[in-house]
Amino acid sequence: MTAKLHGPLASADVAATTNTAVYVVPAGRKASCQVNLVNRSAADVTVRVAIIPGAIGTLTNAHYWDYGPTLAANGGTLNRDRIALGAGHTLMVWASATGVSAGLVGVEEDV
């Protein structure tokens, strides 16, 4: 029987101007998920989201799913769903300032 995790898979307080690995799929696992970003700060924040088929150090321009959307101050959100990730894949988030929370919900299971 396949072991599955349902629900929250990861969360992060995204650092300013830093590529933050929110979630890395463990070896021998796969995931189907949704990422949610929310701006907690009093100023607009620009964000980037990338799916990297490996470690965060292997990021290239081709890996970006979102590059530059603005999250409005005090609660602006960005939601992306139907994300399929394989073993070793990294979901990365970048923000132009502090105050962005990232959350990942979904299903992780054995390959």
Side-chain angles (χ1 to χ4, degrees):
M1 177 166 216
T2 303
K4 289 186 179 182
L5 298 174
H6 295 267
L9 298 177
S11 61
D13 182 3
V14 180
T17 67
T18 302
N19 292 333
T20 301
V22 175
Y23 175 67
V24 179
V25 182
R29 307 283 283 172
K30 63 182 179 179
S32 177
C33 55
Q34 172 180 332
V35 63
N36 302 297
L37 306 179
V38 64
N39 181 5
R40 305 181 322 270
S41 73
D44 291 354
V45 177
T46 302
V47 296
R48 302 173 187 166
V49 177
I51 305 296
I52 307 164
I56 203 161
T58 62
L59 175 67
T60 69
N61 288 337
H63 297 136
Y64 285 103
W65 281 37
D66 287 289
Y67 195 96
T70 299
L71 303 184
N74 301 313
T77 61
L78 175 74
N79 303 295
R80 295 292 180 255
D81 60 4
R82 301 180 191 174
I83 301 170
L85 302 170
H89 285 177
T90 301
L91 184 121
M92 188 271 320
V93 176
W94 178 97
S96 62
T98 59
V100 173
S101 294
L104 195 75
V105 296
V107 177
E108 179 187 286
E109 60 189 316
D110 292 337
V111 175

